[in-house]
């Protein structure tokens, strides 16, 4: 009989398959059901890094940040029961925002599944509605194939999370056999290349349009089609608006850019959607935060929708020209088309006039730091080169409004699910994915307190993440809604106490700073961004500041409040 060193366990097979898949970073937290896998990690001396989070939610949000910046699947490992259920928020977040993740969960042994065994949870049942696909491994022989399939499904077509549930007996099982990992998925064949006839229809519509508009979403980023989008817009001088998650797909400083559209979008962007006669949606899903009241969304426009996921086309907005395709391939096809566009100079002039006459605005405080001004300085001092991650709320919207993104894959935020606690661990994944880049995590004092335990990770790894806490001692967006729609009844939205964030950072061995005076902001930011290590900056800002413009619930995209002072 061969010695123990020559035996291969299911866990060994898993590690080998991850190496073959090109994994360089694994985010995880150990527990009983995954002990064989962690033992294999120890024995195998793997070439990839294992990042030990301090909570499974930290692991999965870090994996999301890694996936957003690199375009590669973020890989997560958690134990059974509570380990798996602690991942649910992040899996749902990734599903809503189309992020490629491969999530491995431990499971109790096959022999006791269904008996309410210790730390058992029905991972398949729980994750079926929130994953692109999920697996439970029944036999060791299928493990290599399942893992390879999982990476393929997560990263092709419309990206998304895939869960692989591995019972403990499978990861502990010993075998000397070699198992095949080839797979064939006849029912899963995403359409990348657009139908030529649909491209012709779109080109013809463009040739008749006098008020054309491009709407660019995250699908452009996933397809790596930013250059093609820029070429297409500039070739035909087409104005561009972005969704929240599409920021960076088209240079924000380009004269054709009208900024972000939607609930807190610019006046120019929202009015362009309302008044256009042709709306070409490239890789966005027409979510409610973009559209407002559907009755008033692009009411005068013929709508073309380019999306790799056919389920999104026509789901929320009636579509005249559906194009099922990869965004980059569709743009390449359009660039090859011969299109004669009517003169739309008057349209362009009107849009530019809207940009000039109705810019973003805010009241600048004389007492404490204005949050909008703070984000402008973050942009200026970083020279627009930072990767910016955020939590969800007012600070997220201010970052989207006042930090201009000229490059793709520099904006990391939670869109569809709106997950507080996302921003800081996502910055860890972003920094690991782009180690040479400046990563700035803009967070609220509420969201930061949900996942700040991950400070231990940036200390251990000396990750130079810069945390900017936009501290208004409140749940800012909740407070704003209570002010606007609930007659200023601030029910449980103001924090009577917050921790001393400087001491909190220092307790982890991390540099901490507090800013209360506007005069100190620029100097501190310059110092912090030049510092080769992690820093937490507690920025005290105006508590009652609000995000404007805003589309109130039930209102149309043209019915913004707070457009002017």
């Amino acid at each position: 009989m061969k010695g123990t060193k020559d035996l291969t366990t299911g866990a060994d097979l898993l590690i080998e398959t991850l190496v073959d898949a090109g994994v360089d970073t694994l985010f995880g937290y150990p527990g009983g059901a995954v002990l064989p896998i962690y033992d294999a990690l120890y024995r195998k001396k793997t070439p990839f890094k294992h990042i030990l989070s301090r909570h499974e939610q930290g692991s999965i949000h870090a994996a999301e940040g890694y996936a957003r910046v690199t375009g590669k699947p973020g890989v997560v490992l958690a134990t059974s029961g509570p380990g798996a259920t602690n991942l649910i928020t992040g899996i749902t977040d990734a599903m809503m925002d189309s992020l490629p993740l491969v999530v491995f969960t431990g499971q109790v042994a096959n022999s006791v599944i269904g008996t309410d065994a210790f730390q058992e949870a029905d991972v398949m049942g729980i994750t079926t509605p929130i994953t692109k696909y999920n697996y439970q491994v029944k036999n060791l022989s299928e493990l290599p194939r399942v893992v390879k399939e999982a990476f393929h499904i997560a990263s092709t077509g419309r990206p998304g999370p895939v869960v692989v549930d591995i019972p403990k007996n499978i990861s502990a099982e010993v075998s000397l056999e070699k198992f095949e990992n080839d797979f064939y998925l006849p029912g899963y064949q995403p359409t990348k290349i657009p139908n030529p006839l649909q491209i012709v229809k779109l080109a013809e519509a463009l040739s008749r349009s006098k008020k054309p508009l491009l709407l660019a979403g995250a699908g452009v980023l996933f397809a790596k089609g930013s250059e093609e989008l820029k070429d297409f817009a500039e070739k035909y001088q087409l104005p561009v608006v972005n969704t929240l998650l599409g920021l960076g797909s088209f240079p924000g400083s380009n004269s054709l850019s009208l900024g972000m559209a939607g609930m807190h979008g610019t006046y120019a962007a929202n009015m362009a959607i309302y008044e256009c006669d042709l709306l070409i949606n490239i890789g966005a899903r027409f979510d409610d935060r973009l559209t407002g009241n559907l009755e008033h969304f692009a009411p005068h426009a013929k709508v073309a929708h380019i999306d790799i996921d056919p389920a999104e086309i026509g789901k929320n907005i009636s579509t005249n020209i559906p194009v099922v395709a990869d965004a980059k391939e569709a743009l390449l096809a359009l660039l090859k088309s011969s299109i004669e566009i009517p003169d739309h100079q008057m349209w362009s002039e009107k849009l530019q006039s809207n940009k000039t006459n109705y810019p973003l605005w805010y009241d600048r405080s004389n007492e404490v730091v204005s949050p909008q001004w703070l984000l402008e300085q973050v942009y200026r001092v970083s020279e627009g080169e930072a990767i910016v991650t955020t939590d969800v709320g007012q600070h997220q919207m201010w970052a989207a409004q006042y930090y201009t993104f000229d490059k793709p894959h520099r904006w990391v935020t939670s869109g569809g699910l709106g997950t507080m606690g996302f921003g800081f661990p996502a910055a860890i994944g972003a920094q690991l994915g782009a180690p040479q880049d400046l990563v700035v995590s803009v967070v609220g004092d509420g969201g930061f307190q949900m996942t700040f335990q991950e400070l231990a990770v940036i200390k251990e790894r000396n990750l130079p993440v810069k945390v900017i806490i936009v501290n208004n001692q409140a749940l800012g967006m909740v407070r704003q809604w209570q002010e606007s729609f609930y007659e200023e009844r601030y029910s449980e939205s103001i924090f009577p106490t917050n921790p001393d964030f400087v001491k909190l950072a220092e307790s982890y061995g991390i540099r901490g700073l507090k800013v209360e005076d506007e005069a100190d902001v620029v100097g501190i930011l310059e110092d912090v961004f030049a510092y080769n290590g992690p820093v937490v900056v507690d920025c005290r800002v105006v508590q009652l500041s609000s995000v404007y413009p805003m589309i109130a619930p039930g209102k149309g995209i043209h019915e913004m409040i707070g457009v002017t002072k």
Side-chain angles (χ1 to χ4, degrees), residues 318-350:
S318 295
T319 302
N320 305 99
I321 307 171
V323 182
V324 180
D326 174 88
K328 181 174 182 174
E329 294 296 337
L331 285 163
L332 285 170
L334 285 167
L335 282 165
K336 291 174 184 173
S337 301
S338 179
I339 307 171
E340 291 291 332
I341 297 188
D343 176 56
H344 52 263
Q345 185 175 348
M346 288 180 63
W347 171 239
S348 298
E349 288 175 355
K350 180 172 185 180

Side-chain angles (χ1 to χ4, degrees), residues 211-216 239-243 258-263 265-280 286 289-293 296-303 317 347 351 354 551 556-558 560:
K211 297 180 179 179
L213 182 66
L214 301 182
L215 170 65
V240 181
V241 299
N242 281 116
T243 64
L258 302 177
M260 181 178 71
M263 179 174 279
T266 66
Y267 178 85
N270 286 343
M271 290 307 295
I273 290 175
Y274 183 70
E275 296 176 347
C276 68
D277 65 7
L278 175 66
L279 179 63
I280 303 174
F286 286 131
R289 287 297 171 105
L290 168 69
T291 63
N293 188 321
H296 302 293
F297 185 81
H300 315 293
K302 178 173 281 192
V303 176
I317 297 291
W347 171 239
L351 297 179
N354 284 344
I551 300 171
I557 199 164
H558 63 303
M560 292 161 276

Side-chain angles (χ1 to χ4, degrees), residues 358-371:
Y358 300 98
L360 294 168
W361 67 272
Y362 57 90
D363 286 320
R364 192 162 164 187
S365 170
N366 294 321
E367 298 176 3
V368 289
V369 179
S370 300

Side-chain angles (χ1 to χ4, degrees), residues 63-74 98-101 151 154-156 159-160 221-224 408-409 412 429-430 433-434:
E64 289 185 275
Y66 174 91
R68 177 73 74 186
V69 166
T70 65
K72 299 189 293 185
S98 306
L99 291 172
L101 299 182
F151 277 90
S155 56
T156 55
L221 297 167
F222 296 135
K224 296 181 172 58
H409 314 297
V412 183

Side-chain angles (χ1 to χ4, degrees), residues 129-427:
I130 57 169
T131 52
K132 189 174 178 184
Y133 202 71
N134 60 7
Y135 299 85
Q136 188 173 78
V137 180
K138 299 295 187 183
N139 299 291
L140 180 58
S141 60
E142 67 186 27
L143 180 62
R145 173 189 59 78
V146 162
V147 174
K148 192 171 180 181
E149 267 184 28
F151 277 90
H152 174 73
I153 292 171
S155 56
T156 55
R158 179 180 181 173
V162 177
V163 165
V164 181
D165 195 40
I166 306 176
K168 188 174 182 179
N169 63 293
I170 299 293
S171 58
E173 185 177 337
V174 175
S175 176
L176 295 176
E177 291 186 58
K178 293 289 183 185
F179 301 115
E180 294 297 320
N181 62 5
D182 292 338
F183 63 87
Y184 175 52
L185 300 172
Y188 176 70
Q189 302 293 330
T191 301
K192 287 192 69 173
I193 307 301
N195 184 315
L197 292 177
Q198 296 305 100
I199 293 296
V200 169
K201 287 181 184 178
L202 205 165
E204 288 175 348
L206 191 54
S207 70
R208 293 191 294 270
S209 170
K210 294 182 179 178
K211 297 180 179 179
L213 182 66
L214 301 182
L215 170 65
V220 177
L221 297 167
F222 296 135
K224 296 181 172 58
S226 296
E227 281 300 318
E228 289 73 17
L229 174 62
K230 183 171 179 287
D231 291 346
F232 181 57
E234 290 183 340
K235 181 176 181 180
Y236 297 109
Q237 287 298 289
L238 301 172
V240 181
V241 299
N242 281 116
T243 64
L244 173 68
L245 293 181
L247 291 173
S249 63
F250 187 79
S253 61
N254 190 296
S255 62
L256 292 169
S257 173
L258 302 177
M260 181 178 71
M263 179 174 279
H264 295 292
T266 66
Y267 178 85
N270 286 343
M271 290 307 295
I273 290 175
Y274 183 70
E275 296 176 347
C276 68
D277 65 7
L278 175 66
L279 179 63
I280 303 174
N281 174 351
I282 311 171
R285 59 183 179 85
F286 286 131
D287 70 288
D288 60 301
R289 287 297 171 105
L290 168 69
T291 63
N293 188 321
L294 293 175
E295 246 182 78
H296 302 293
F297 185 81
H300 315 293
K302 178 173 281 192
V303 176
H305 189 172
I306 299 168
D307 206 294
I308 200 162
D309 184 356
E312 287 298 340
I313 297 178
K315 185 177 82 174
N316 295 330
I317 297 291
S318 295
T319 302
N320 305 99
I321 307 171
V323 182
V324 180
D326 174 88
K328 181 174 182 174
E329 294 296 337
L331 285 163
L332 285 170
L334 285 167
L335 282 165
K336 291 174 184 173
S337 301
S338 179
I339 307 171
E340 291 291 332
I341 297 188
D343 176 56
H344 52 263
Q345 185 175 348
M346 288 180 63
W347 171 239
S348 298
E349 288 175 355
K350 180 172 185 180
L351 297 179
Q352 291 303 318
S353 175
N354 284 344
K355 278 178 70 173
T356 302
N357 295 329
Y358 300 98
L360 294 168
W361 67 272
Y362 57 90
D363 286 320
R364 192 162 164 187
S365 170
N366 294 321
E367 298 176 3
V368 289
V369 179
S370 300
Q372 303 93 330
W373 182 83
L374 171 66
L375 269 300
E376 285 183 318
Q377 305 319 303
V378 172
Y379 170 72
R380 190 177 67 78
V381 176
S382 68
E383 298 180 345
E385 292 293 326
I387 293 172
V388 178
T389 78
T390 78
D391 258 11
V392 170
Q394 288 182 316
H395 70 277
Q396 175 193 34
M397 293 298 110
W398 287 321
Q401 290 175 334
Y402 292 100
Y403 198 102
T404 303
F405 293 94
D406 281 335
K407 297 178 182 178
H409 314 297
R410 319 292 288 179
W411 172 238
V412 183
T413 196
S414 172
L417 195 63
T419 305
M420 288 180 67
F422 171 91
F424 174 48

